[in-house]
């Protein structure tokens, strides 16, 4: 009986070991399939319409490169981050992997995970010069380039023109005009602004925009740099006070509302204004009203950039341990060709970072308008939640969420942020 049990245990162990060996033999960097080189493509859009887009691009790439097979690995948003923590540090990491700009991507550069792509940019100017230069900057460090931007994104206030026209309102250009507009809308019985801040990045985008207008640019640059954060400048408190001025005009319980839920309510005409990403313009085809957009208003007395935009691109890196870096880069070049950039914009609504890809044939008039605004900017201020070490952003985001809920003051939030910044040094 004991022999039988022991035999069963041994067999079980051998089966587990065979599975481990089997899995480890499936190297994302070195394995071949039918004599082809296999590169693994790890990205965060397993849902439609993105899945169909990437499938079609990969199919065409493999057709034009018959010696290469592209193996897909996908995970959605937060699941992607968890999966990346495992895969990118494994012995068989993906050859090409998605990254956000800011601290998330910069950490891959500092840790030697991302391959220096500078030589590929220099060797193929016909390709690299067609990428919007201001968006490539987000993937650079010490004059070297470590990533390829796929699409870019910014933030604008989108508004219900039917409501504005009925009340005789115009898009505000200054903060004082903005507050007057909000008061008029609220008096009419319509919710002025809808916010879904169940995940605190949504309000953090407001903070980013207000910091851009109010905080001196050199101060922002220092505080958003790696290990440079202090957040002691009093203008950060002023930014939070401006956000607090908007609290009476938000929907009820914004912290209990998800961003997507809030957006659907906005599309259904339940609020007059929403702060939306430019890549979300594609959803406005479902709006029940005529609409338009305006930039974050200027703020009198603000010491920051009064005309800038916030936002950042998202893109891909090649793993430094890839056995097929040349093929991996070839795939990224193909993905960011003008033809596929236009296809990206048309099929998914993502604003491609390829020059001229977003045009009248691939996008709506409003999407083209938004891209033109982005291209006019030499730089965009990256989202605060992306720029900061997570240990600093957590008290910032959580604090803003608490302020919106009425349980925390601007000064208390910044004290918590300052304390966190000291721990990260």
């Amino acid at each position: 009986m004991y022999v039988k049990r022991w035999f069963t245990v041994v067999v079980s162990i051998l089966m587990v070991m065979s599975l481990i060996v089997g899995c480890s033999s499936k190297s994302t960097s070195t394995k071949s399939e039918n004599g082809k080189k296999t590169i693994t493509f790890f990205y965060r859009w397993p849902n439609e319409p993105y899945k169909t887009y990437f499938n079609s691009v990969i199919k065409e790439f493999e057709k034009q490169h018959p010696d290469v097979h592209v193996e897909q690995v996908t995970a959605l948003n937060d699941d992607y981050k968890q999966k990346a923590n495992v895969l990118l540090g494994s012995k068989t990491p993906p050859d090409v992997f998605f990254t956000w700009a800011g601290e998330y991507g910069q950490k891959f550069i500092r840790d030697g995970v991302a391959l220096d792509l500078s030589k590929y940019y220099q060797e193929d100017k016909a390709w690299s010069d067609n990428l919007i230069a201001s968006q490539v900057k987000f993937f650079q460090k010490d004059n070297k380039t470590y990533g390829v931007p796929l699409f870019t994104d910014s933030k604008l206030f989108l508004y219900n023109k039917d409501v504005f026209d009925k009340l005789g309102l115009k898009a505000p250009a200054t903060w004082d005009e903005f507050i007057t507009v909000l008061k008029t809308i609220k008096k009419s019985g319509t919710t002025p602004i809808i916010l879904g801040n169940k995940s605190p990045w949504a309000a953090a985008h407001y903070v980013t925009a207000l910091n851009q207008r109010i905080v001196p640019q050199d101060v922002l640059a220092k505080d958003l740099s790696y290990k440079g954060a202090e957040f002691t400048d009093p203008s950060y408190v002023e930014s939070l006070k401006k956000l607090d001025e908007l609290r009476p005009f938000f929907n009820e319980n914004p912290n209990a509302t998800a961003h997507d839920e809030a957006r659907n309510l906005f599309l259904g005409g339940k609020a007059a204004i929403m702060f939306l990403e430019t890549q979300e313009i594609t959803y406005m085809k479902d709006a029940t009203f005529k609409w338009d957009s305006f930039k974050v208003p200027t703020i009198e007395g603000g010491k920051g950039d009064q005309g800038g935009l916030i936002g950042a691109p998202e893109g891909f890196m090649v793993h430094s341990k890839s056995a097929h870096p040349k093929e991996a880069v070839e795939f990224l070049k193909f993905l960011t060709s003008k033809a596929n950039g236009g296809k990206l914009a048309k099929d998914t609504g993502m604003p491609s970072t390829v020059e001229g890809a977003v045009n009248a044939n691939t996008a709506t008039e409003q999407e083209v308008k938004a891209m033109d605004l982005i291209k006019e900017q030499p730089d965009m201020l990256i989202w605060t939640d992306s720029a900061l070490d997570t240990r600093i952003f957590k008290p910032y985001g959580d604090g803003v969420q608490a302020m919106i809920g009425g349980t925390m003051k601007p000064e208390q939030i910044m004290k918590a942020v300052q304390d966190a910044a000291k721990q990260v040094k």
Side-chain angles (χ1 to χ4, degrees):
M1 182 176 180
Y2 290 108
V3 173
K4 185 176 180 181
R5 286 182 181 176
W6 175 247
F7 178 77
T8 302
V9 169
V10 171
V11 171
S12 298
I13 292 172
L14 289 173
M15 287 178 66
V16 171
M17 289 179 67
S18 69
L19 284 172
I20 293 172
V21 171
C23 289
S24 63
S25 68
K26 294 182 180 180
S27 167
T28 57
S29 298
T30 60
K31 80 173 186 178
S32 60
E33 184 170 303
N34 298 324
K36 298 180 180 182
K37 294 177 181 177
T38 296
I39 58 173
T40 303
F41 178 44
F42 179 35
Y43 64 99
R44 69 171 188 90
W45 297 286
N47 51 333
E48 295 294 359
Y50 316 107
K51 182 179 179 180
T52 296
Y53 168 78
F54 284 112
N55 282 342
S56 66
V57 170
I58 289 169
K59 183 177 180 180
E60 183 59 29
F61 176 79
E62 290 179 332
K63 181 180 178 181
Q64 295 185 26
H65 300 77
D67 61 331
V68 180
H69 169 65
V70 179
E71 184 177 275
Q72 299 181 64
V73 180
T74 61
L76 188 64
N77 298 327
D78 289 340
D79 288 338
Y80 176 87
K81 293 180 181 179
Q82 294 176 11
K83 201 167 186 175
N85 290 337
V86 176
L87 292 182
L88 296 179
S90 70
K91 292 182 180 179
T92 56
D95 298 272
V96 178
F97 61 94
F98 166 84
T99 181
W100 285 273
E103 174 58 17
Y104 187 86
Q106 288 294 314
K107 191 175 187 300
F108 294 136
I109 297 173
R110 291 196 305 270
D111 293 347
V113 174
L115 182 69
D116 179 5
L117 304 180
S118 303
K119 73 173 184 178
Y120 298 104
Y121 272 82
Q122 293 162 4
E123 289 171 357
D124 192 349
K125 289 289 187 179
W127 161 68
S128 60
D129 284 353
N130 259 337
L131 296 174
I132 299 172
S134 63
Q135 305 307 302
V136 176
K137 285 182 183 178
F138 285 89
F139 298 95
Q140 294 177 333
K141 182 177 175 61
D142 299 330
N143 297 315
K144 295 179 180 179
T145 306
Y146 293 88
V148 178
L150 177 71
F151 73 96
T152 189
D153 197 12
S154 186
K155 202 96 175 188
L156 295 169
F157 281 109
L158 273 56
Y159 68 96
N160 185 322
K161 271 186 103 288
D162 293 347
V163 170
F164 272 57
D165 290 347
K166 181 180 179 180
L167 298 174
L169 299 173
K170 294 182 179 180
T174 69
W175 189 261
D176 288 344
E177 291 174 358
F178 190 31
I179 296 299
T180 299
V181 163
L182 297 176
K183 287 179 177 178
T184 303
I185 295 171
K186 185 173 183 177
K187 190 176 180 180
S188 75
T190 298
T191 299
I193 312 181
I194 193 161
L195 169 65
N197 197 48
K198 194 171 185 178
S199 295
W201 62 262
H205 287 185
Y206 277 85
V207 173
T208 307
L210 290 168
N211 284 346
Q212 183 182 54
R213 295 287 186 262
I214 294 173
V215 181
Q217 289 178 270
D218 59 335
V219 173
L220 262 178
K222 177 179 173 297
D223 287 330
L224 296 180
S225 64
Y226 180 58
K227 290 189 175 181
E230 291 182 348
F231 289 94
T232 54
D233 193 291
S235 53
Y236 288 110
V237 171
E238 294 306 309
S239 293
L240 291 179
K241 286 180 178 178
K242 287 295 182 188
L243 177 56
D244 202 36
E245 285 181 30
L246 300 182
R247 203 152 55 93
F249 306 108
F250 287 138
N251 48 299
E252 291 185 11
N253 301 318
N255 291 334
T257 306
H259 175 75
D260 291 356
E261 180 186 355
R263 187 183 62 214
N264 288 336
L265 290 169
F266 174 64
L267 293 174
K270 302 301 182 183
I273 302 169
M274 188 171 183
F275 200 30
L276 287 170
E277 294 174 34
T278 51
Q279 71 159 343
E280 293 179 283
I281 289 175
T282 187
Y283 294 104
M284 296 306 294
K285 64 181 182 295
D286 298 324
T288 57
F289 49 83
K290 294 178 182 178
W291 63 277
D292 206 340
S293 63
F294 60 89
K295 292 172 66 174
V296 174
T298 60
I299 298 176
E300 185 177 358
K303 299 177 182 178
D305 180 0
Q306 295 299 319
L309 294 175
I310 66 169
E314 297 179 13
F316 296 98
M317 291 176 168
V318 174
H319 203 287
S320 58
K321 292 183 180 179
S322 171
H324 307 301
K326 181 181 177 182
E327 288 75 14
V329 173
E330 278 301 314
F331 175 66
L332 288 180
K333 288 182 183 179
F334 186 75
L335 192 61
T336 52
S337 65
K338 188 163 185 177
N340 283 322
K343 181 177 172 62
L344 178 73
K346 188 173 184 178
D347 292 0
T348 72
M350 285 181 171
S352 169
T353 51
V354 179
E355 286 279 3
V358 179
N359 56 57
N361 294 321
T362 62
T364 65
E365 181 181 348
Q366 290 283 1
E367 287 170 327
V368 174
K369 176 184 172 182
M371 177 55 78
D372 287 344
L373 282 174
I374 291 171
K375 289 169 67 175
E376 288 171 7
Q377 303 296 318
D379 297 289
M380 292 193 298
L381 182 63
I382 191 169
W383 332 105
T384 301
D385 56 310
S386 295
L388 293 176
D389 185 293
T390 54
R391 291 169 291 179
I392 301 175
F393 175 69
K394 182 166 176 52
Y396 213 161
D398 290 352
V400 170
Q401 199 172 50
M403 184 183 77
I404 289 172
T407 61
M408 207 166 182
K409 299 293 184 183
E411 293 83 0
Q412 294 173 308
I413 296 169
M414 294 317 302
K415 177 64 168 59
V417 172
Q418 291 160 12
D419 290 345
K422 291 174 185 175
Q423 301 302 314
V424 175
K425 297 251 181 228

